[in-house]
Each structure stands twice: as structure tokens, then as C-alpha cells.
């Protein structure tokens, strides 16, 4: 096991009515004027946003709502939000929704606390982030894990770049997690979320670093729970048991626990981000599109690891090579069962000219300035080969 630091400071209130704790949590974590950042309107339609505004107002906490965040959230809106937050004098930013609203809340918090900087400088690592405003969360979808994670992902619409930053300033101070708030989700968003939760675990599980028994077994248990409850949730979004398992798995899959003691891989996320940056497809769909092709391409680097995954998660045993491949096939089949795309032609991207795969690889390698992943360090040619495998 490699040495590690674990820092997961988010206070979690989980269960029916968790959102009722908003004013108390704002006060407890030092807020007195808050901005509520939300998406395209699901929280207005469900009545959640007016309810939160009322809860705050009853406790004498002024608030302003800032909406319009779209999936694959845009830098331009985060910039606007930072200006509005400063004008309002907000001292805490609350993300109300999923990864897109929460990541925008994080970006707004960084921008509002650093008026001399442009937010994108932090994402491009051109300027270190040394201060921010505190962020809180009211979660409405189990997926990105942003409610407890150290990352935030934003798209620069001018360049088509979708980029994440990891910093402890991204860790929300609190997250209010009521599974009932996810009952209004369309099936497609539930299944995108299931894929994302699985992938936050797999992008840490596939590693060349051995000797991590607890981390491995937590990851394997989490995967089995998500797969089992994912099927139930996809067929009945009002199944409280299934939706609460997904919600908790979503946080644990991405708060660091499933990857302690080894380097993270995250190749599939990087491959997927380029697809979302170029074609604006949902994050979960970008991951299911790429995973099978990545897995087949890198499996030979450590088939024993893939065979272990097949055994512990899918109950497949046999000789190493056969079990490794069967585990990959079973995962891809599961994505298909959820109606998630597993190649370009399954989604609205469609089969692309080879030049597009080449451009995606170039962008993903940051114009050959980086290698991607750890399980196998992927250069531009490797990335090109993987995109070509998925382009069918
Ligand atoms: O915008 P509204 O109207 O709210 O609708 C949203 C949106 O259309 C809808 N939705 C959410 N809760 C709902 C609901 N509809 C009905 N009822 C509800 N209860 O779902 C759609 C998707 O929302 P979004 O926030 O985009 O989903 P998700 O949580 O999957 O977030 C995806 C974003 O997070 C990033 C992704 O790249 C993507 O940009 N990620 C962030 C991470 C992080 N910060 O740690 C890690 C992830 O790997 C990921 O990259
Ligand atoms: Zn993800």
C-alpha cells in the first residue's frame, strides 16, 4: 500500500427531508448571505428551489438564485455567476442539483473570492488557487460525486476544452442528500449516473499497484451494490431503497475511499471528456462509449487484474485470459442493458471520419504534452487506437 492522505471534510446529512437542514448548515459552516446555483429548471418545476429560498428566508438568511447551468457546464456562465455573487455580497455558494450545478457553484466560489483572476486560469494551472468561498450542496441526482469530491469540471465553449481541477477548495462543506429528490429523474439521467458511479470506481480499481486489500474489497462491494441497485432504479425511479443505495455509492465512489493507497488512472474519464467537449454528449454516455474499447486495448498489460475484477464483481471464473475478456464483455452488456451507448454509432455522435478520432487523440494528449492514465500510460497513438476501436 502506498502512503496517502485522506481528507473528506464534507458534513453529510442523508435521508428523507435532509434539505430541511439547509439554514442550520449554512449557519454552522459560516454562511450569512448565499447564492443558490441551479440548472435548467428541474428544481423550479419540482418546487425544491422555492422551498430552499423559503427555508433560508425564515431564518433571516438573504439569498439570490442563479440558474441556467447546462449539463457539461460552461465557463461563461460561471464567470457571470462570480460577478453576480460579488455584487450580491455572497459569502457561501450552494449548488442545487447535480455535478453541473455543483461544479458551477465551485467555479463561482473560486471566481468570487479572486476578483483579480479569470476563473479559467485556475483550470489551466496558470495561477494557483489559494482561497475560495465555502460551498454547500443540495443533491438531486446520483452521479458525478461532486457533492464530496475535490474536483470540478468546466467546459470552455470558445475552445471546446472540457477540463477538471482537483483542489481541496473544491470539497463542499456540507451536502444535503435526500434520495426522494431523485425520484423525478428521467431514466436516461439515472442510467448515465449509474455508469459514472461505476466508472469513478473502475478508473481507480485498474492499477498496477498491488497490496491494497481493503481498498480493493470496498471497490468490489461498491460495484456489486451499484450494479444490483442500478437495475432496480432504472425500472422504478421511486424505489427508495435502490435510489438511496445509488446516492450513497455515488459519494463514496468519488470521495477518495475507493482509490486509497495507489495512483489513480482516470484514462476513461479523460477519453470521455474530449467526446463531451467536442460533441456535448452526457458525461455518463461518454464513459460507457469509451470503457469497453479502453479495456480491450489495455487488458494485456495485466490480465490477472481484469480476471480478478471478473471474479469478484461478476462471479466469472476460469483461466485468466478467458475470464478477463468475459468480465469486459459482461460490463459492456450491462451498459447495453441500461440502454447506454458502448460505441460511437450507439449515440448521436455516429461513426466519424478517422480524422476526428485523430483530433480527439491529439486534444486528449494535450497536443502531446502529457501521457494519460497509470494502468498503461497512453500516448497520442494509444489514444488514437482506442478512439478508433470505439468509432464503429
Ligand atoms: O438542469 P436541470 O433542469 O436541473 O436538469 C438536470 C440535467 O438536465 C437533470 N436533473 C438533475 N436532477 C434532476 C434532474 N431532472 C429531474 N429531476 C431531478 N431530480 O439531469 C440532467 C443532468 O444534470 P447534471 O448536473 O449535468 O448531471 P451529473 O450529476 O451527471 O453531472 C455531470 C457533470 O459533472 C461532471 C461531468 O463531467 C458533467 O459536466 N463531473 C464532475 C465531477 C466532480 N466534480 O467531481 C466528477 C465527474 O467525473 C464528472 O466529470
Ligand atoms: Zn465521472
Amino acid at each position: 500500500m502506498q502512503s496517502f492522505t485522506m481528507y473528506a471534510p464534507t458534513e453529510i446529512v442523508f435521508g428523507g427531508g435532509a434539505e430541511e437542514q439547509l439554514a442550520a448548515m449554512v449557519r454552522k459552516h459560516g454562511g450569512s448571505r448565499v447564492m443558490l446555483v441551479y440548472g435548467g429548471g428541474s428544481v423550479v418545476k419540482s418546487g425544491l428551489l422555492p422551498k430552499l429560498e423559503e427555508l433560508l428566508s425564515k431564518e433571516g438568511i438573504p439569498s439570490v438564485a442563479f440558474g441556467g447551468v447546462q449539463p457539461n457546464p460552461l465557463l461563461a456562465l460561471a464567470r457571470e455567476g462570480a460577478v453576480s455573487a460579488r455584487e450580491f455580497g455572497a459569502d457561501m455558494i450552494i449548488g442545487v442539483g447535480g455535478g453541473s450545478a455543483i461544479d458551477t457553484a465551485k467555479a463561482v466560489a473560486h471566481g468570487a473570492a479572486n476578483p483579480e483572476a479569470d476563473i479559467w486560469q485556475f483550470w489551466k494551472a496558470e495561477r494557483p488557487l489559494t482561497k475560495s468561498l465555502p460551498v454547500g450542496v443540495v443533491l438531486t441526482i446520483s452521479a458525478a460525486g461532486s457533492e464530496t469530491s475535490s474536483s470540478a469540471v468546466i467546459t470552455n465553449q470558445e475552445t471546446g476544452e472540457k477540463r477538471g481541477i482537483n483542489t481541496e477548495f473544491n470539497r463542499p462543506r456540507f451536502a444535503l442528500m435526500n434520495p426522494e429528490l431523485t425520484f423525478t429523474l428521467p431514466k436516461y439521467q439515472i442510467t448515465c449516473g449509474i455508469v459514472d458511479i461505476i466508472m469513478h470506481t473502475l478508473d481507480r480499481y485498474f492499477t498496477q499497484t498491488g497490496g491494497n486489500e481493503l481498498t480493493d474489497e470496498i471497490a468490489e462491494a461498491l460495484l456489486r451494490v451499484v450494479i444490483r441497485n442500478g437495475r432496480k432504479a432504472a425500472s422504478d425511479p421511486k424505489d427508495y431503497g435502490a435510489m438511496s443505495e445509488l446516492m450513497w455509492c455515488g459519494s463514496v465512489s468519488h470521495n477518495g475511499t475507493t482509490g486509497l493507497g495507489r495512483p489513480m488512472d482516470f484514462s476513461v474519464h479523460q477519453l470521455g471528456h474530449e467526446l463531451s467537449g467536442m460533441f456535448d454528449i452526457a458525461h455518463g454516455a461518454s464513459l460507457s462509449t469509451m470503457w469497453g474499447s479502453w479495456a480491450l486495448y489495455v487488458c494485456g498489460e495485466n490480465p490477472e487484474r481484469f480476471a480478478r475484477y471478473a471474479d469478484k464483481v461478476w462471479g466469472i471464473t476460469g483461466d485468466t485470459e478467458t475470464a478477463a475478456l468475459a468480465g469486459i464483455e459482461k460490463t459492456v452488456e450491462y451498459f447495453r442493458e441500461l440502454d447506454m451507448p458502448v460505441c460511437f454509432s450507439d449515440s448521436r455522435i455516429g461513426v466519424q471520419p478517422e480524422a476526428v478520432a485523430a483530433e480527439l487523440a491529439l486534444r486528449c494528449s494535450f497536443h502531446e504534452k502529457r501521457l494519460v492514465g497509470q494502468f498503461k500510460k497512453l500516448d497520442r497513438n494509444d489514444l488514437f487506437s482506442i478512439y478508433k476501436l470505439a468509432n464503429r
Side-chain angles (χ1 to χ4, degrees), residues 300-312:
E301 299 292 312
N302 187 346
E304 292 75 18
R305 187 69 177 164
F306 275 89
R308 175 184 166 130
Y309 163 69
D311 177 12
K312 303 286 182 182

Side-chain angles (χ1 to χ4, degrees), residues 143-145 153 195-197 199-200 203 254 266 269 273 283-284 287:
V153 186
V195 172
D196 199 15
I197 297 168
M199 219 51 69
H200 290 154
D203 261 349
H254 201 39
F266 269 75
H269 267 75
H273 283 344
H283 176 59
L287 301 173

Side-chain angles (χ1 to χ4, degrees), residues 38-44 46 48 68-73 96-103 106 139-155 162 165-166 170 180-186 189 192-193 196 200 254 266 269 273 276 282-284 286-287:
Y38 66 99
S42 71
V43 298
V44 178
S46 69
L48 176 63
V69 176
Q70 64 179 68
N72 297 321
V96 185
S100 299
I102 302 166
D103 288 1
K106 292 175 181 181
L139 190 64
T140 67
I141 173 173
S142 310
S146 184
E147 66 278 6
T148 56
S149 82
S150 64
S151 59
V153 186
I154 297 287
T155 298
K162 183 174 182 187
I165 50 163
N166 283 287
N170 279 335
E180 287 166 12
L181 298 180
T182 67
F183 285 1
T184 49
L185 279 166
Q189 293 302 340
C192 279
D196 199 15
H200 290 154
H254 201 39
F266 269 75
H269 267 75
H273 283 344
S276 292
H283 176 59
S286 77
L287 301 173

